[in-house]
Amino acid sequence: MAKAKTKFVCQNCGYVSPKYLGRCPNCGVWNQMVEEIDHPEASKASATPSRRVSDLETKPVKLENVSFEKEPRVETELGELNRVLGGGIVPGSLILIGGDPGIGKSTLLTQVSGQLAKDGSKVLYVSGEESASQIKMRADRLGITGDNLYLYPQTDMSYIRQTIDDMRPDYLIIDSVQTMDEPEITSAVGSISQIREVTAELMNIAKQQNITVFVVGHVTKGGAIAGPKILEHMVDTVLYFEGDTHHSYRILRSVKNRFGSTNEIGIFEMRTKGLVEVANPSEIFLEERLADANGSAVVVSMEGTRPILVEIQSLITPTIFGNAKRTATGLDHNRVSVIMAVLEKRGNLMLQNQDAYLKSTGGVKLDEPAIDLALAMSIASSYKNLGISGTDCFVGEVGLTGEVRRVNRIDQRVNEAEKLGFKRIFIPKNNLGDWSKNNKIKIIGVTTVLDAMNKIF
């Protein structure tokens, strides 16, 4: 009997090597090469298209002859989920949801399943991690009932395909893709080959049978979805469910969406009865803010198409050791270092012998350039030990020469600050006149960080 050929596949990036390597030459990760049996793929007589296409669409057509139809949407009872998906669920789409263990991914999908089944749609919930009784226990806690919701604890894709063909569900939920087993692949469950083949099979099911598929994906210690990067390229939408287990708030963030804008976020609160959407997150993030506290500044940040007001806190103290320490939570460490260097050079603040501790409250991660001015004012407030008025907020990008640069969507930011009762907003001077509305909030234009400090302190 001929010896079976083997290959070594990196479980991080999918790199294939004929022999074992301690360190993957493609991604540089150590001890991730796993031996698998090499099976040459049999040629298929008739390849199955990955998407439903008609005979006319398989031929080249002129751009002006292509008919355009807006994708139909199915709205759920969770408005925050509809916002992140771009207006609702698109039938026949493949949606990947990733997040840390215990963050609430299964709870979210159980709630969505109950809502869709209540509207008359047939939902098949396939679980490879929990039994039917465990899912039933969670559904009872969430108050979910319905005759159209079917539970199927199974990991074998051949049985799952047969069940789908027999039931013809409208929605399919896979929890999780790392536990599914493609019997034709001999590698271990959860390996690169298994995840790739299972995802390809689910994509074919979604596109050929027009079934909306939700897929739960585990994440690595670095926060990325476990498995090959092609997993995120194959699906239509990638959502990350973020949050801190010590806080009750959860953030659903869209990082890829073929049917809507990316970087949209939806905010939920985890309660005993399940996830409850937070309609006005700005009030939640600012409700515990101390009035006129030094080292505190409020920024109007854009998360996708939604303006959110978040408090940035800074604590500047003299350093005990030779090198000053810089710590940032929810903010980019490099951005903090740049702003502090600009304040020292252009704002005449001696920060090189000061330890700096900064954070954005509420567990929100801020990474857009428009937070620079609020970050700078927060640092200056803590250094000078002078408080900033609780009715002031800031928007603006800071350049290396100390100038405050123009930002986008200034009208939405100003209106959101006015709605929450702020009296003054400091914006780049070049943004003045970008809108024609009569706002009650006082709008102050600044040109440099030094100009902003002179007007505030």
Side-chain angles (χ1 to χ4, degrees):
M1 183 176 178
K3 183 179 179 182
K5 293 184 178 180
T6 61
K7 59 183 178 180
F8 292 86
V9 183
C10 175
Q11 300 303 297
N12 185 59
C13 67
Y15 178 81
V16 179
S17 171
K19 61 180 182 179
Y20 177 79
L21 300 173
R23 182 175 184 266
C24 176
N26 185 47
C27 63
V29 178
W30 288 88
N31 302 324
Q32 290 295 317
M33 304 296 288
V34 175
E35 185 177 12
E36 298 180 2
I37 298 177
D38 188 8
H39 288 282
E41 296 184 359
S43 59
K44 297 181 181 180
S46 58
T48 306
S50 61
R51 296 180 180 273
R52 299 182 69 188
V53 291
S54 64
D55 293 337
L56 294 176
E57 290 177 326
T58 57
K59 300 177 182 179
V61 239
K62 291 184 179 179
L63 178 62
E64 55 267 20
N65 295 337
V66 177
S67 60
F68 172 75
E69 296 181 2
K70 191 175 181 181
E71 296 89 359
R73 302 275 182 173
V74 177
E75 293 189 359
T76 67
E77 296 178 9
L78 295 174
E80 294 294 293
L81 177 62
N82 298 334
R83 173 199 293 273
V84 174
L85 292 175
I89 301 172
V90 177
S93 59
L94 182 58
I95 302 168
L96 175 64
I97 301 180
D100 293 328
I103 206 68
K105 302 184 296 297
S106 299
T107 300
L108 174 65
L109 289 179
T110 305
Q111 287 185 237
V112 173
S113 301
Q115 294 170 7
L116 295 172
K118 188 172 62 175
D119 294 336
S121 301
K122 188 181 293 186
V123 182
L124 177 60
Y125 193 112
V126 180
S127 176
E129 301 179 348
E130 297 176 301
S131 64
S133 59
Q134 290 175 306
I135 303 174
K136 170 65 175 175
M137 189 185 307
R138 184 192 305 122
D140 290 342
R141 177 173 57 86
L142 300 176
I144 295 173
T145 58
D147 296 333
N148 294 320
L149 177 56
Y150 297 85
L151 306 180
Y152 189 36
Q154 183 58 262
T155 59
D156 194 314
M157 283 300 297
S158 60
Y159 291 106
I160 295 172
R161 282 195 300 268
Q162 185 61 44
T163 305
I164 293 171
D165 293 337
D166 295 340
M167 286 186 55
R168 294 289 179 178
D170 299 306
Y171 298 92
L172 172 65
I173 296 174
I174 302 293
D175 188 7
S176 64
V177 67
Q178 281 83 5
T179 61
M180 296 296 115
D181 177 27
E182 186 66 55
E184 297 178 359
I185 307 298
T186 56
S187 57
V189 175
S191 64
I192 294 288
S193 303
Q194 285 282 356
I195 294 175
R196 182 169 54 238
E197 292 300 322
V198 168
T199 307
E201 182 66 27
L202 293 174
M203 184 177 67
N204 289 336
I205 292 172
K207 303 306 176 184
Q208 293 172 13
Q209 303 184 31
N210 199 33
I211 298 175
T212 304
V213 181
F214 289 89
V215 179
V216 175
H218 295 167
V219 296
T220 62
K221 289 188 293 184
I225 293 180
K229 198 66 179 176
I230 193 175
L231 177 64
E232 299 186 31
H233 294 305
M234 294 169 69
V235 301
D236 295 314
T237 305
V238 179
L239 307 179
Y240 277 90
F241 208 35
E242 305 170 352
D244 189 350
T245 54
H246 303 291
H247 296 84
S248 60
Y249 296 108
R250 304 287 187 266
I251 298 176
L252 184 65
R253 186 184 304 274
S254 170
V255 297
K256 175 189 175 181
N257 193 354
R258 287 178 178 152
F259 309 109
S261 62
T262 57
N263 292 325
E264 287 283 0
I265 69 168
I267 301 179
F268 301 87
E269 183 180 3
M270 179 65 80
R271 297 181 182 175
T272 307
K273 295 295 184 180
L275 291 164
V276 179
E277 56 184 339
V278 178
N280 195 346
S282 297
E283 292 182 351
I284 301 296
F285 294 146
L286 300 177
E287 64 181 357
E288 297 180 1
R289 183 179 182 236
L290 298 177
D292 302 335
N294 66 73
S296 171
V298 176
V299 60
V300 189
S301 176
M302 293 297 299
E303 294 292 342
T305 59
R306 161 190 279 183
I308 294 180
L309 278 80
V310 183
E311 179 188 6
I312 296 179
Q313 295 180 342
S314 300
L315 179 62
I316 308 298
T317 60
T319 183
I320 302 175
F321 306 101
N323 296 325
K325 187 176 182 180
R326 306 281 187 258
T327 303
T329 304
L331 302 166
D332 183 34
H333 186 272
N334 294 330
R335 185 184 299 275
V336 170
S337 300
V338 168
I339 296 301
M340 294 189 69
V342 171
L343 287 174
E344 184 160 1
K345 183 74 172 180
R346 312 296 179 186
N348 301 324
L349 302 182
M350 184 61 67
L351 297 173
Q352 58 185 332
N353 58 352
Q354 303 285 325
D355 289 337
Y357 306 90
L358 297 97
K359 70 171 295 185
S360 61
T361 59
V364 181
K365 295 180 181 179
L366 303 176
D367 58 359
E368 70 160 338
I371 70 171
D372 290 352
L373 183 59
L375 187 59
M377 294 305 104
S378 172
I379 295 172
S381 171
S382 180
Y383 178 80
K384 294 175 176 289
N385 204 25
L386 297 174
I388 297 176
S389 173
T391 58
D392 290 349
C393 58
F394 305 88
V395 176
E397 178 185 358
V398 176
L400 294 182
T401 58
E403 81 280 10
V404 181
R405 306 177 70 89
R406 179 194 298 268
V407 298
N408 62 347
R409 297 183 178 178
I410 190 66
D411 53 342
Q412 293 177 257
R413 301 176 194 261
V414 172
N415 293 334
E416 182 71 12
E418 181 182 14
K419 185 175 71 174
L420 290 177
F422 284 82
K423 304 299 183 185
R424 298 193 304 175
I425 181 170
F426 292 82
I427 69 172
K429 195 169 185 179
N430 290 333
N431 274 125
L432 291 175
D434 279 0
W435 68 96
S436 58
K437 300 177 182 178
N438 295 322
N439 298 88
K440 296 180 181 179
I441 187 173
K442 186 176 181 181
I443 302 169
I444 302 174
V446 293
T447 55
T448 63
V449 289
L450 190 58
D451 179 27
M453 285 193 291
N454 292 334
K455 291 179 178 178
I456 296 170
F457 305 113

